[in-house]
Amino acid sequence: MSGSNLQDLDAASNEASADFSKPWQFSDVVLVVGGETFHVHRSMLAMWSPVFSSMFTAQFKEQKADKIPLPGKKAAEFKEMLQVIYPIFDKEVHTTNCFFLLELAKEYMMTKLTNKCERFLLAELEDLKFDCLSLLSAAEAYGMKELEKACIEQAKLMSFDQLKRNALYKKIKHSNFQTVVEAQMTKMESDILDKDFKSFQALKNKVEFLKDCGAEALDELEKLTDATLIDLGNTDRVNARMDSKLRWLNRNRGSLFVPFNRLHEKLKEISDYDNV
């Protein structure tokens, strides 16, 4: 056969293989999907899928059938799956085909195809192109453990309000729900402790400020009572009741500041303990 004839044969074979519509490269079985026929290779499908491998064995009627119908599937999606699993096409998993490929992979137990989809989704998750809870739901449905773990780790970083607003929050698997909630509780406890410490510092500063203000007020009170008591001896206009109150105030003015002193000392003890 001449070189020209070989080129024509290769071209015809490549054209046929592009949509699997005609026999090509020793294809040995025809699958009927959505009213379309796909000329494929039993060995190729068997390598990817134990379901197809069983289908082509002697105990199944499909073993010798010229055409095998696969109802309930879309021809375009099935062709996309074939182009992904056949090495000659070098077809990649992408956003458009990923989820229906996962569904087909689940039905035909194509672990390698599921793994290809998982690797793609892990990269998308890392680039924040997908919501982690929506991918977590898919990871649970299709048994993608590595993706499931990565989604949970991202969900732990979300605020509790963000989680509650997500429609899928309560639809995820119970064990994963529990893991995310426990992580949120731990995060909230840490935040509360941090806020408590900041509140404590703010309270301590306020008490110190009040103590300083109180000291100034006490000094002014001492000056006032001293001046008033001096005047008591020089006037007859101050009645006995006022005289008694002023003298009591003068005797007990130090005790008026005791609560501030006690509170300040207590806060100082707590602060010194925390700094140990």
Side-chain angles (χ1 to χ4, degrees):
M1 185 178 293
S2 68
S4 176
N5 290 336
L6 284 173
Q7 289 178 354
D8 291 341
L9 183 60
D10 287 341
S13 178
N14 290 334
E15 183 180 351
S17 66
D19 59 5
F20 302 92
S21 60
K22 299 176 183 178
W24 63 288
Q25 295 294 324
F26 309 107
S27 56
D28 55 2
V29 66
V30 178
L31 304 178
V32 182
V33 181
E36 296 186 24
T37 57
F38 295 89
H39 294 258
V40 294
H41 303 77
R42 295 172 191 265
S43 58
M44 179 63 69
L45 294 179
M47 282 191 295
W48 280 84
S49 165
V51 175
F52 279 117
S53 180
S54 297
M55 189 183 296
F56 299 143
T57 58
Q59 63 263 39
F60 285 85
K61 64 179 182 180
E62 290 88 353
Q63 196 267 343
K64 293 183 178 180
D66 293 329
K67 292 184 178 181
I68 301 175
L70 300 177
K73 310 199 178 31
K74 295 180 180 179
E77 293 179 356
F78 194 81
K79 180 168 69 175
E80 189 92 358
M81 182 199 75
L82 292 175
Q83 290 175 338
V84 170
I85 67 174
Y86 268 80
I88 63 169
F89 295 108
D90 198 26
K91 183 84 171 183
E92 295 293 336
V93 176
H94 49 73
T95 305
T96 305
N97 65 16
C98 182
F99 292 100
F100 68 71
L101 288 176
L102 280 169
E103 192 62 33
L104 289 168
K106 182 178 182 179
E107 180 175 354
Y108 293 112
M109 300 175 64
M110 292 178 160
T111 304
K112 292 180 181 178
L113 180 56
T114 299
N115 292 342
K116 285 174 70 76
C117 293
E118 183 175 24
R119 287 193 295 271
F120 167 75
L121 291 175
L122 280 167
E124 294 292 285
L125 178 65
E126 188 174 344
D127 293 337
L128 302 178
K129 294 181 180 179
F130 276 97
D131 171 63
C132 66
L133 291 188
S134 65
L135 287 188
L136 178 56
S137 180
E140 293 171 354
Y142 300 109
M144 297 181 286
K145 296 299 181 183
E146 190 175 347
L147 179 63
E148 186 175 340
K149 182 179 178 181
C151 288
I152 290 173
E153 291 304 311
Q154 272 209 16
K156 289 179 181 179
L157 301 177
M158 297 172 66
S159 70
F160 197 67
D161 188 54
Q162 287 176 312
L163 288 171
K164 287 192 300 182
R165 288 201 307 266
N166 195 301
L168 295 171
Y169 178 54
K170 292 186 178 181
K171 295 182 180 181
I172 61 177
K173 192 166 62 178
H174 176 72
S175 58
N176 288 336
F177 177 84
Q178 183 176 357
T179 300
V180 172
V181 169
E182 286 176 353
Q184 286 296 315
M185 290 177 65
T186 301
K187 184 174 180 292
M188 289 172 67
E189 288 174 358
S190 177
D191 290 344
I192 289 171
L193 288 174
D194 183 55
K195 289 179 181 178
D196 282 348
F197 178 75
K198 291 178 180 178
S199 299
F200 165 77
Q201 290 296 332
L203 177 60
K204 181 183 174 186
N205 293 337
K206 287 181 180 179
V207 171
E208 288 178 347
F209 173 74
L210 289 172
K211 182 175 181 293
D212 292 339
C213 291
E216 293 180 6
L218 183 61
D219 185 57
E220 292 298 321
L221 178 61
E222 288 175 350
K223 292 177 182 178
L224 177 62
T225 54
D226 287 342
T228 304
L229 287 171
I230 291 172
D231 289 340
L232 286 176
N234 301 325
T235 179
D236 297 329
R237 289 181 295 176
V238 179
N239 59 37
R241 186 178 180 186
M242 178 64 75
D243 178 33
S244 175
K245 287 186 175 182
L246 287 170
R247 291 183 187 280
W248 179 90
L249 187 61
N250 187 52
R251 288 194 306 271
N252 295 282
R253 58 194 176 189
S255 65
L256 296 175
F257 199 51
V258 169
F260 275 124
N261 283 329
R262 287 178 179 171
L263 179 58
H264 181 264
E265 290 303 318
K266 188 64 178 176
L267 288 169
K268 187 174 184 303
E269 288 177 12
I270 296 172
S271 179
D272 291 341
Y273 177 79
D274 288 341
N275 291 327
V276 173

